[in-house]
Amino acid sequence: MTWPKGTRALVLHNAKARQGEQALVPVRERLAAGGLLVTVEPFESLPEIARDVTRLHQTADIIVVCGGDGSISSAAPAVIESGLPLGIIPAGTANDLARTLSIPLDFAAAADVIVEGHSRRIDVGTVNGHAFFNVASIGISSELAQKLDPAIKKRFGRLGYAVAALRVILAAQRFRARIREKGESRTVSTYQVAIGNGRLYGGGNVVEENAAIDDGTLDLYSLEVKNLWKLALMLRAFRSGTHGAWKEVRTAKCVEFDIETRRPMPVNTDGEIVTATPAHFRVLPRAISVLAPCECPVNARQFPLYHH
C-alpha cells in the first residue's frame, strides 16, 4: 500500500523514554521522505497520551507512538475510539510488542514500516478497563514495576531490570488469589499470576508457546513454586513458553478471567501499575489496526534489544 499524497501522521513522542530523543530525528526524516505530513506532539506522562489522541485525532490519518510498551498501551483506548491505524516506534526498554509484531527496533527501519502502510488487526487485553498488549500481572512483576527507579531504567535498560528483579525476588512472598474462569473458581497460593494477550513480555519471555496476539484469547499462568530458587531451573522454559509443563505452574486459556486477593494488590500492565485487585480481565479481539511488516508470521523473526 502507498499512502495518498497529504496523509497526516500525528507522532506522539515520549522524550522521557529510554531512547526517546534519539528516535525522533530519524523518524521525522523517514516519514517525511515517505510523503507523510508529520506533526509531533510531545508528552511527559502516560495519562497525557490518550488525551492527546482524543484532542488531535481529527487532524491526523495515522497515529504514531514513539515510546515504550507502557506508552503504546496507554494510547490504545483512544486509538481504538478514533478508528485510525497505529504506527509503532519502539523507544522503550523491552519493546516486546514491536518484537511480537516483527517491527524492527532500529528507529529508521520502524518508520519505514509505517511508510510502507501494511496493516494487520490485533487483539487488545483489558483489566478493569485499562488496555494492555503484552501481559498484565499480579505479584513479582508488579513489585518490580513499583521498585524500578525510572532514572535507573532509562540509564541501564535491561541491566537495571535485572538488578531490581533480583532484589524483588529475594524478598518475594506467596499470596493467596482466587482465579475465576468460565464460571468456575479456584484458590491458589502463588508468587505471581500473569495474563497475556500477546506473545512476548519481560524482554523476550514467551507467554505460552502457542500464544498469538490475534488469537482472540488470553493466556494465564500462576507461579505456584514452594521455593523461588527453582525459578533458576525454569528460566529456559519461560523463554520458550513451555513453563506450563512444570507441575508448579498452573495455566489456562480463556477470553475472560477474574482475580481476587485478600487485600488489594497492584496490577502491572506492560510495565506500568494501572489498577488493583479485584481485577476483571477480558480480550477485545482484533480491536485495533497496527502498521506492521507485510505477510510476516508473528514469531518468525527475533530482533535484538539494541538500536543501531
Side-chain angles (χ1 to χ4, degrees):
M1 170 182 169
T2 301
W3 294 108
K5 185 177 180 180
T7 297
R8 302 162 298 175
L10 172 63
V11 178
L12 298 166
H13 170 241
N14 181 5
K16 291 186 176 181
R18 185 163 185 259
Q19 303 285 346
E21 288 294 343
Q22 286 179 257
L24 189 56
V25 173
V27 167
R28 292 189 71 160
E29 290 177 350
R30 290 299 183 97
L31 295 181
L36 300 178
L37 302 179
V38 180
T39 300
V40 175
E41 181 69 22
F43 64 88
E44 294 188 353
S45 65
L46 296 185
E48 286 183 48
I49 307 173
R51 293 197 294 265
D52 288 342
V53 173
T54 300
R55 176 170 55 90
L56 298 170
H57 77 270
Q58 292 184 340
T59 66
D61 304 298
I62 309 167
I63 304 295
V64 178
V65 177
C66 182
D69 288 322
S71 297
I72 300 165
S73 293
S74 296
V79 175
I80 293 171
E81 184 69 22
S82 75
L84 298 178
L86 173 66
I88 296 169
I89 303 296
T93 303
N95 302 308
D96 286 305
L97 178 59
R99 286 158 30 92
T100 291
L101 297 171
S102 295
I103 294 172
L105 300 190
D106 177 83
F107 302 131
D112 288 342
V113 169
I114 294 170
V115 170
E116 289 165 5
H118 302 297
S119 67
R120 58 176 294 188
R121 299 202 71 85
I122 64 172
D123 304 339
V124 177
T126 68
V127 52
N128 294 348
H130 298 272
F132 65 97
F133 284 106
N134 304 321
V135 163
S137 58
I138 303 159
I140 292 175
S141 292
S142 292
E143 289 291 323
L144 175 59
Q146 292 179 92
K147 294 182 178 179
L148 183 58
D149 187 317
I152 292 178
K153 177 179 175 181
K154 186 170 184 177
R155 182 175 179 182
F156 296 106
R158 294 184 73 194
L159 177 61
Y161 268 123
V163 173
L166 180 60
R167 291 176 178 171
V168 168
I169 289 172
L170 291 175
Q173 295 183 339
R174 288 195 291 178
F175 62 94
R176 295 181 70 82
R178 178 177 296 168
I179 302 171
R180 183 178 295 112
E181 59 164 316
K182 300 176 183 176
E184 298 182 359
S185 66
R186 60 188 59 84
T187 300
V188 303
S189 179
T190 182
Y191 281 101
Q192 175 159 291
V193 178
I195 295 178
N197 170 66
R199 179 170 177 80
L200 300 177
Y201 72 102
N205 293 316
V206 178
V207 173
E208 197 275 335
E209 59 181 329
N210 297 313
I213 201 166
D214 56 3
D215 62 6
T217 61
L218 301 173
D219 291 280
L220 175 147
Y221 77 78
S222 174
L223 185 59
E224 299 170 17
V225 295
K226 293 183 179 176
N227 296 295
L228 274 176
W229 60 263
K230 201 164 188 178
L231 276 179
L233 303 177
M234 296 181 175
L235 288 179
R236 181 173 294 182
F238 276 100
R239 298 300 284 186
S240 63
T242 57
H243 44 277
W246 289 76
K247 65 180 182 180
E248 297 92 344
V249 181
R250 183 187 307 272
T251 62
K253 184 183 289 285
C254 198
V255 297
E256 290 187 79
F257 291 98
D258 286 284
I259 309 293
E260 298 176 4
T261 54
R262 184 174 300 174
R263 57 181 176 79
M265 294 184 66
V267 179
N268 167 27
T269 63
D270 294 345
E272 306 292 339
I273 302 299
V274 298
T275 186
T277 55
H280 176 68
F281 299 82
R282 63 188 291 250
V283 64
L284 306 178
R286 300 172 61 83
I288 194 168
S289 177
V290 294
L291 299 169
C294 184
E295 297 179 356
C296 180
V298 173
N299 59 342
R301 291 184 289 167
Q302 296 295 319
F303 289 92
L305 284 173
Y306 62 82
H307 300 266
H308 299 293

